[in-house]
Amino acid sequence: MSVVHQLSPGWLLDHLSFINKINYQLHQQHEACCSKNESTSVCFNSLQMDSMSSFGAPATFVASDSTTKPDSDHGGNCEMFIQKYVFRSELFDVTKPYITSAIHKECQQKNEKEDLMNDVKKENFISIIGKKRKRCVVFNQGELDAMEYHTKIRGIILDGSSQLIQEGLKSGFLHPLPEKQDKCSRKTYDVIVIDPPWPNKSVKRSNRYSYLSPLQIKQLPVPKLAAPNCLVVTWVTNRQKHLRFVKEELYPSWSVEIVAEWHWVKITTSGEFVFPLDSPHKKPYEGLILGRVREETALPLRNADVRVLPIPDHKLIVSVPCTLHSHKPPLAEVLKDYIKPDGECLELFARNLQPGWTSWGNEVLKFQHVDYFIAVESRS
């Protein structure tokens, strides 16, 4: 049953259970004889959706009371393979509100302040021109109607939901949020390399990939992922706005102290810069901002006996770049002298895998695709 609890205010439902009880199946029919048509049917308990794969033949939808094994039209032996499916449970793993009350209250206060400033500006403008005008209403009629409707049903939603939620918590269907974990029990990293999808005009025009705003980048949980004295390395484009943001806003918000600024210089196989060094448009280099996480209270390192070298400033990484967009050079070898030998390394917004590193992003296998590799002869 998808109904977990039924009380006078209504029902507490298990949406995931309801989906999985539908019994999604994929039926594939393979015939021993050489049939030109291979039939595939998707069954939802009593509803069967058939489609033929023969040269763009139209799909047919058939309602059936059973999922019996179909006979072969050619009289040959027929084998039926049935694959069952369940819905991904993590898609229902909503543990936190989309917008918390604290953030909502902060936004309300900000909006009220802006409205007040706008009203003052409007009144000043009216006094200057010497005419009486009707003052602008903060909310339009549709918003006022919605607020009136909300006032009517707010008590019903609050009281009724509270009863059903309490019943779900008592029965164990709902689970209260656990207490905050101790920092020592959470997986942390000694090196975090970040290649943010910075917004720019070229990306917006081409729709090559999605990008994040500076505010969204700022909300990355780097402080929770960083071990004491963690080395944070951020790739930054040459746009001064982005450089200032990393140095003046991003790193301070993460309690990261800047220790060095490096540059990746791109050259050709003949040793020339890929772009003229003094080009007013594109430069033959990109920046890396390196910083260390500083804790408010000094915490011992994982291995206090291991000493790492201080990071020098203005180092260069010179290499022939890959022609694939955003394919960055690996940093494991150049960073090894500045991190502990057993350090945990993480790359955010990674587009390929590195041995011994944890890669995170929605394109971690992008440059691992077989099309980018060629097979070589194996020797016995």
Side-chain angles (χ1 to χ4, degrees):
M1 291 290 291
S2 60
V3 177
V4 181
H5 295 291
Q6 181 176 357
L7 302 176
S8 56
W11 304 265
L12 178 64
L13 297 182
D14 185 351
H15 194 167
L16 178 62
S17 174
F18 174 79
I19 294 175
N20 288 335
K21 286 183 184 299
I22 294 176
N23 189 25
Y24 289 91
Q25 299 178 1
L26 175 64
H27 291 203
Q28 288 186 321
Q29 176 183 345
H30 297 281
E31 299 179 4
C33 60
C34 298
S35 172
K36 292 183 179 179
N37 299 340
E38 181 179 293
S39 174
T40 301
S41 64
V42 182
C43 301
F44 316 101
N45 252 356
S46 61
L47 177 63
Q48 177 175 302
M49 182 178 71
D50 293 337
S51 63
M52 301 298 292
S53 60
S54 58
F55 304 103
T60 59
F61 298 86
V62 180
S64 171
D65 292 332
S66 62
T67 56
T68 56
K69 178 179 177 181
D71 296 328
S72 171
D73 294 337
H74 302 275
N77 294 328
C78 176
E79 295 182 358
M80 180 67 72
F81 297 92
I82 302 176
Q83 177 66 55
K84 294 185 177 181
Y85 291 87
V86 295
F87 203 74
R88 289 168 53 189
S89 60
E90 65 267 23
L91 296 177
F92 283 94
D93 188 19
V94 182
T95 58
K96 295 182 179 180
Y98 298 129
I99 300 178
T100 61
S101 299
I103 295 176
H104 177 65
K105 186 176 181 180
E106 182 181 345
C107 291
Q108 277 187 324
Q109 292 174 349
K110 183 180 179 182
N111 291 335
E112 289 173 359
K113 185 177 180 181
E114 290 177 353
D115 292 337
L116 180 60
M117 293 177 65
N118 290 334
D119 289 340
V120 171
K121 290 179 181 178
K122 289 171 186 174
E123 289 177 356
N124 290 338
F125 178 73
I126 292 171
S127 62
I128 290 173
I129 62 177
K131 293 182 180 179
K132 291 185 178 181
R133 292 185 180 178
K134 188 175 181 180
R135 191 172 174 182
C136 294
V137 181
V138 177
F139 300 102
N140 60 37
Q141 188 59 45
E143 291 170 329
L144 291 173
D145 293 341
M147 293 169 64
E148 183 181 357
Y149 177 74
H150 174 72
T151 304
K152 292 179 181 179
I153 66 170
R154 185 181 184 279
I156 299 174
I157 292 177
L158 183 61
D159 297 337
S161 298
S162 298
Q163 295 181 43
L164 290 164
I165 290 170
Q166 289 301 321
E167 196 67 25
L169 290 170
K170 289 178 184 177
S171 65
F173 174 70
L174 300 177
H175 308 281
L177 286 175
E179 296 294 329
K180 290 185 177 180
Q181 294 181 345
D182 186 82
K183 288 188 176 182
C184 297
S185 64
R186 187 193 302 124
K187 173 83 172 177
T188 55
Y189 297 89
D190 301 291
V191 179
I192 300 177
V193 175
I194 312 168
D195 184 14
W198 295 105
N200 58 58
K201 293 181 180 179
S202 175
V203 170
K204 292 177 180 178
R205 284 196 302 264
S206 63
N207 290 325
R208 186 176 292 163
Y209 58 80
S210 57
Y211 57 88
L212 296 181
S213 67
L215 178 60
Q216 291 172 316
I217 295 173
K218 203 173 181 179
Q219 292 173 342
L220 293 172
V222 169
K224 295 181 179 179
L225 297 170
N229 208 40
C230 172
L231 174 61
V232 179
V233 183
T234 303
W235 289 95
V236 190
T237 64
N238 290 317
R239 192 175 180 185
Q240 291 302 305
K241 180 179 179 180
H242 295 158
L243 284 167
R244 287 195 299 269
F245 168 71
V246 172
K247 295 178 181 179
E248 300 173 8
E249 294 186 46
L250 185 64
Y251 275 16
S253 70
W254 290 345
S255 298
V256 174
E257 180 183 340
I258 297 175
V259 295
E261 184 174 348
W262 292 0
H263 293 91
W264 171 35
V265 182
K266 308 171 195 178
I267 61 171
T268 66
T269 54
S270 60
E272 298 179 282
F273 294 127
V274 294
F275 296 108
L277 182 59
D278 298 320
S279 169
H281 304 293
K282 290 190 175 182
K283 301 294 185 184
Y285 55 82
E286 292 186 38
L288 298 91
I289 308 299
L290 293 82
R292 292 279 189 190
V293 170
R294 299 302 182 192
E295 297 287 339
E296 294 181 0
T297 56
L299 294 176
L301 299 177
R302 284 179 176 152
N303 190 346
D305 297 331
V306 177
R307 299 295 178 184
V308 296
L309 296 175
I311 299 177
D313 199 6
H314 296 298
K315 283 286 187 178
L316 302 181
I317 300 171
V318 183
S319 71
V320 179
C322 180
T323 57
L324 298 173
H325 180 73
S326 292
H327 195 300
K328 297 296 194 297
L331 299 178
E333 290 296 315
V334 298
L335 294 177
K336 65 179 182 180
D337 292 334
Y338 312 109
I339 59 177
K340 300 187 294 296
D342 59 345
E344 295 283 348
C345 303
L346 169 67
E347 183 177 9
L348 300 179
F349 305 103
R351 292 180 176 89
N352 60 282
L353 305 178
Q354 295 187 61
W357 283 56
T358 298
S359 298
W360 179 92
N362 60 0
E363 294 181 324
V364 291
L365 299 179
K366 180 175 182 178
F367 299 138
Q368 307 289 146
H369 197 278
V370 66
D371 287 349
Y372 297 132
F373 299 83
I374 58 172
V376 295
E377 294 183 2
S378 59
R379 297 180 180 179
S380 57

